[in-house]
């Protein structure tokens, strides 16, 4: 197969949802269709539920599961699908943001009872930054949910994306009859079942009496009225608007009942984009370029505390990756040979000889790689679009065992390279402040520092609202600003200057006083 053919048959995506909307269930059903697993229940949930907050065994177990399910590859109708798993627990959202940099599209799952929830809003913001194409699956139609038109309005209002229903539910909850596929003009009747897949019935004309016979007169009438309204309100579906990240096609179903999932998957392979061109510091790189390149978006470390082993996950962006080849590590300006590379097929890991754009390869690493690193066939370019986001909670790291200072430094560095949290080191006094998205992360850091590095730490709360990466078109003004705010200036992991704003109001005041300085909540920005 040529490089072009390999690229054309690949779809790399992630599923985003608020916890409990049905991401794990949908993942499992997709794997069932792809023949990657034989029976339901085989996909372990990689979520850490609230009740497990202090259960460290649980967290360790979950880390093990999440490495196994980090990437699930399967074939469906001749298409190689790479599904990248994202942690469900919101405290690990940063990990999800980064995973989203490695996908070409996403499927968003929404619970029809709860509607759009906060975590989905945040994840959509990340998708919007990159104009990632989004397919929406409204789940749990076997429950009494909200009116479908209201749900669509809510998605548009809260998620800032236009929608276009491609299927439509006929009632819901106890009287749920099924869904009508608007673009294939077929009807799928609902019978609750976790195993069987219902065949669709073709209905070329919804005004035919057959519809009344199949779903009953009243529901047939309602469907006709709904379809008329949809055709009147929503413009014809245009695939390009989906690929541009402007319009999200919407499907309805019930993942646990295996209902509407096949339609979703069929539409996904039909519409979702194959690997796309990506920006680097030098130029845009097309997947079909001969020479290999890719970037690291995730690192898993210390699965076995006896060996400091790490797996770095690289997304292949162009050319072919070959095991045993030497590749150029741009940040370290050196060539590295990767003889131990792993591909992911469902839950099995196997040694990979070759990988193509869109594929994810696990590289065994002894400490050379960190998140955001680019590997190439020699070109000195770095993939962009893998920013750090300002954390939400900040705490100072207090060393409780001076004898273990070295271990602490090493442990902190490695955990930060893994992306567990962000470290900000103040210019004055070298105070170390850790920033996280959710409080659970502090417990994870404390536990892992002790367990894996023998270092004891405590955390002291800090009054910090946001970490702001700063820039200015006027270097003199920037230097003056840094000088005048020395007590609040820190460096991030890449040595970039960050202004630690204490409160929203104070940041506003500083912004007003220094109009020539730009303040950014992400480490990558356009001036
Ligand atoms: P998540 O990964 O997004 O957090 O959600 P997950 O798939 O674990 O689903 C959360 C709960 O919702 C599960 O129930 C699951 O069975 C249920 N669920 C998923 N799809 C549907 C659906 O179409 N209809 C209904 N009624 N429920 C659905 P649970 O009680 O938390 O777990 P379990 O004991 O069923 O595994």
């Amino acid at each position: 197969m040529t490089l072009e053919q390999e690229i054309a048959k690949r779809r790399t995506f992630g599923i985003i949802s608020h916890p409990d909307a049905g991401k794990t269930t949908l993942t499992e059903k997709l794997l069932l269709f792809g023949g990657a697993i034989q029976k339901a229940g085989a996909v372990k949930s990689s979520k850490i539920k609230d009740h497990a907050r202090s259960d460290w065994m649980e967290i360790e177990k979950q880390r093990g599961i999440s490495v196994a399910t980090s990437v699930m590859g399967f074939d469906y109708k001749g298409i190689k699908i790479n599904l990248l798993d994202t942690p469900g627990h919101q405290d690990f959202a940063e990990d999800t943001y980064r995973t989203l940099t490695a996908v070409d599209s996403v499927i968003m799952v929404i619970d029809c009872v709860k509607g759009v929830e906060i975590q989905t809003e945040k994840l959509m913001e990340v998708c919007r930054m990159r104009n990632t194409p989004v397919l929406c699956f409204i789940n749990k139609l076997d429950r009494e949910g909200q009116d479908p038109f209201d749900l669509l309005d809510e998605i548009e209002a809260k998620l800032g994306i236009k929608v276009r229903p491609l299927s439509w539910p006929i009632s819901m909850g106890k009287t749920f009859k099924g869904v009508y596929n608007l673009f294939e003009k077929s009807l799928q009747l609902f019978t609750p079942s976790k195993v069987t897949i219902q065949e669709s019935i073709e209905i070329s004309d919804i005004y035919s009496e057959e519809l009344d016979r199949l779903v009953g007169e009243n529901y047939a009438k309602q469907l006709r009225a709904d379809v008329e309204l949809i055709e009147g309100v929503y413009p014809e579906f245009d695939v390009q608007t989906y690929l541009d990240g402007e319009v999200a096609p919407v499907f309805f179903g019930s993942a646990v009942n295996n209902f509407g999932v096949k339609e979703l998957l069929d539409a996904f392979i039909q519409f979702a984009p194959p690997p796309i061109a990506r920006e680097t510091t030098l130029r845009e790189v097309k997947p079909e370029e001969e020479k290999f390149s890719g970037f690291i978006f995730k690192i898993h470390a210390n699965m076995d505390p006896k060996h400091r082993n790490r797996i770095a996950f690289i997304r292949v962006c162009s050319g072919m990756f070959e095991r045993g080849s030497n590749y150029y590590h741009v940040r370290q300006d050196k060539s590295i040979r990767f003889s131990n590379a792993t591909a992911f097929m469902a839950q099995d890991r196997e040694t990979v000889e070759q990988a193509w754009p869109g594929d994810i390869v696990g590289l065994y690493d002894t400490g050379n790689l960190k998140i955001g690193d680019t590997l190439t066939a020699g070109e000195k370019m770095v993939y962009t679009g893998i920013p750090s986001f300002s954390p939400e909670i900040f705490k100072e790291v207090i060393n409780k065992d001076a004898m273990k200072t070295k271990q602490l430094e090493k442990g902190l560095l490695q955990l930060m390279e893994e992306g567990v949290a962000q470290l900000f080191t103040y210019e004055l006094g070298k105070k170390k402040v850790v920033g996280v998205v959710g409080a659970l992360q502090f417990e994870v850091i404390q536990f892992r520092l002790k367990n894996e590095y023998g270092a004891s730490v405590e955390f002291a709360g800090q009054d910090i609202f946001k970490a702001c990466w700063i820039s200015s078109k006027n270097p003199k003004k920037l230097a003056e600003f840094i000088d005048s705010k020395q007590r609040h200036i820190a460096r991030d992991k890449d040595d970039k200057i960050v202004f630690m704003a204490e409160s929203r109001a104070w940041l506003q005041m500083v912004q007003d006083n220094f109009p020539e300085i730009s303040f950014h909540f992400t480490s990558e920005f356009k001036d």
Side-chain angles (χ1 to χ4, degrees):
M1 228 186 266
T2 64
L3 176 60
E4 276 78 12
Q5 286 167 328
E6 293 284 0
I7 296 165
K9 65 177 260 200
R10 275 168 171 75
R11 303 285 182 278
T12 301
F13 79 110
I15 302 180
I16 58 173
S17 76
H18 192 87
D20 274 348
K23 181 167 72 75
T24 312
T25 312
L26 181 64
T27 301
E28 181 172 284
K29 302 298 175 187
L30 294 176
L31 294 180
L32 275 171
F33 281 113
I37 53 170
Q38 301 311 322
K39 61 177 196 315
V43 177
K44 304 279 186 312
S45 162
S46 62
K47 61 190 171 178
I48 298 167
K49 292 209 167 172
D50 280 346
H51 64 251
R53 267 190 171 257
S54 295
D55 184 346
W56 297 114
M57 285 315 290
E58 189 63 16
I59 288 208
E60 286 299 281
K61 208 168 76 200
Q62 297 290 1
R63 286 180 66 219
I65 293 167
S66 67
V67 77
T69 59
S70 284
V71 185
M72 289 162 274
F74 61 96
D75 290 305
Y76 180 72
K77 295 190 176 170
I79 297 291
K80 164 91 193 288
I81 299 176
N82 292 315
L83 167 53
L84 275 53
D85 191 34
T86 53
H89 198 292
Q90 62 201 28
D91 283 13
F92 298 100
E94 179 95 25
D95 201 15
T96 305
Y97 299 160
R98 276 191 303 263
T99 299
L100 292 180
T101 64
V103 303
D104 298 306
S105 69
V106 303
I107 291 181
M108 171 169 75
V109 184
I110 289 176
D111 180 332
C112 74
V113 183
K114 295 190 178 143
V116 176
E117 295 172 90
I118 184 81
Q119 185 70 357
T120 317
E121 281 184 53
K122 286 193 183 160
L123 294 169
M124 250 320 279
E125 268 175 42
V126 180
C127 292
R128 271 208 314 271
M129 282 174 70
R130 313 168 55 82
N131 300 325
T132 307
V134 177
L135 263 178
C136 182
F137 183 71
I138 298 186
N139 191 27
K140 307 197 185 181
L141 265 288
D142 57 323
R143 289 200 178 158
E144 305 293 336
Q146 300 175 30
D147 176 80
F149 282 109
D150 289 348
L151 281 167
L152 297 184
D153 287 349
E154 194 184 338
I155 294 172
E156 291 199 338
K158 285 195 175 164
L159 301 180
I161 188 164
K162 295 219 170 318
V163 294
R164 176 54 163 105
L166 291 187
S167 80
W168 197 253
I170 304 166
S171 188
M172 55 173 75
K174 283 199 189 73
T175 55
F176 182 43
K177 295 282 167 210
V179 288
Y180 177 66
N181 189 322
L182 290 156
F183 75 104
E184 298 217 318
K185 304 213 182 310
S186 63
L187 181 74
Q188 225 199 346
L189 294 176
F190 177 70
T191 40
S193 163
K194 295 199 165 111
V195 283
T196 54
I197 303 157
Q198 287 86 355
E199 284 301 318
S200 305
I201 303 163
E202 228 176 275
I203 299 266
S204 50
D205 178 12
I206 52 167
Y207 294 93
S208 74
E209 278 179 12
E210 202 195 348
L211 185 68
D212 299 73
R213 193 177 54 74
L214 289 167
V215 301
E217 210 176 306
N218 285 343
Y219 291 117
K221 211 163 128 193
Q222 182 67 48
L223 177 67
R224 288 174 192 130
D226 286 351
V227 171
E228 275 171 26
L229 191 57
I230 293 163
E231 305 298 349
V233 171
Y234 297 99
E236 215 31 41
F237 174 57
D238 170 3
V239 182
Q240 196 54 45
T241 57
Y242 154 69
L243 294 173
D244 292 341
E246 288 165 15
V247 175
V250 179
F251 291 83
F252 292 84
S254 169
V256 81
N257 289 299
N258 229 337
F259 191 79
V261 178
K262 189 171 172 293
E263 289 64 31
L264 177 76
L265 188 56
D266 285 337
F268 172 78
I269 59 164
Q270 188 181 342
F271 301 135
I276 43 179
R278 284 169 179 261
E279 278 301 329
T280 70
T281 42
L282 276 191
R283 60 189 183 83
E284 191 186 73
V285 177
K286 297 197 169 59
E288 55 275 13
E289 291 183 20
E290 286 279 302
K291 289 187 176 152
F292 162 77
S293 68
F295 65 87
I296 310 288
F297 66 96
K298 182 186 181 93
I299 288 186
H300 248 279
N302 301 348
M303 291 314 301
D304 175 0
K306 284 195 249 36
H307 306 99
R308 292 242 174 269
N309 61 340
R310 317 212 283 187
I311 302 178
F313 293 80
I314 188 165
R315 145 104 199 193
V316 180
C317 296
S318 70
M320 181 186 73
F321 171 91
E322 219 168 351
R323 188 169 77 91
S325 292
N326 283 309
Y327 291 115
Y328 178 57
H329 183 338
V330 181
R331 180 175 56 84
Q332 290 191 339
D333 189 23
K334 70 175 186 194
S335 180
I336 305 187
R337 188 162 179 269
F338 295 98
S339 44
N340 209 342
T342 305
F344 300 87
M345 282 303 280
Q347 289 168 308
D348 300 325
R349 281 192 249 164
E350 55 188 42
T351 305
V352 63
E353 296 300 331
Q354 294 167 338
W356 310 91
D359 286 343
I360 310 298
V361 178
L363 303 172
Y364 287 88
D365 171 46
T366 48
N368 284 310
L369 298 169
K370 64 180 184 180
I371 289 167
D373 278 347
T374 297
L375 297 179
T376 71
E379 202 170 344
K380 229 179 178 140
M381 61 187 182
V382 174
Y383 277 98
T384 55
I386 316 150
S388 301
F389 295 83
S390 173
E392 310 278 333
I393 315 169
F394 300 82
K395 287 187 179 179
E396 183 185 353
V397 184
I398 316 267
N399 185 1
K400 296 304 285 177
D401 183 354
M403 303 292 285
K404 296 279 167 68
T405 304
K406 270 220 161 96
Q407 285 88 332
L408 171 61
E409 300 224 323
K410 185 173 177 194
L412 262 185
L413 183 77
Q414 292 200 346
L415 292 189
M416 299 305 132
E417 282 177 358
E418 220 186 294
V420 175
Q422 293 181 57
L423 184 68
F424 300 94
T425 308
Y426 275 72
E427 290 282 85
L428 280 183
K430 299 291 164 209
K431 180 166 86 171
K432 284 186 163 54
V433 168
V434 166
V436 300
V437 176
L440 184 55
Q441 293 291 68
F442 289 117
E443 296 176 42
V444 173
I445 296 167
Q446 196 177 34
F447 174 79
R448 289 192 53 194
L449 282 174
K450 182 89 202 150
N451 244 34
E452 293 163 30
Y453 301 91
S456 302
V457 295
E458 275 182 5
F459 292 101
Q462 301 284 299
D463 278 331
I464 297 168
F465 161 63
K466 285 271 163 126
C468 307
W469 284 266
I470 50 176
S471 67
S472 174
K473 292 202 165 62
N474 183 339
K476 202 165 145 254
K477 290 276 176 204
L478 189 64
E480 273 172 27
F481 174 78
I482 293 170
D483 211 38
S484 71
K485 292 278 174 278
Q486 267 190 15
R487 275 193 329 110
H488 308 280
I489 299 293
R491 300 252 178 190
D492 75 356
K493 64 174 175 22
D494 300 318
D495 229 23
K496 285 189 184 151
I497 299 241
V498 181
F499 171 65
M500 309 295 271
E502 284 178 1
S503 68
R504 187 189 294 272
W506 188 59
L507 175 61
Q508 187 59 55
M509 205 174 73
V510 174
Q511 280 174 316
D512 292 344
N513 290 344
F514 295 88
E516 288 191 68
I517 309 293
S518 306
F519 298 80
H520 316 271
F521 293 155
T522 57
S523 65
E524 272 182 28
F525 42 79
K526 289 194 180 82
D527 274 320

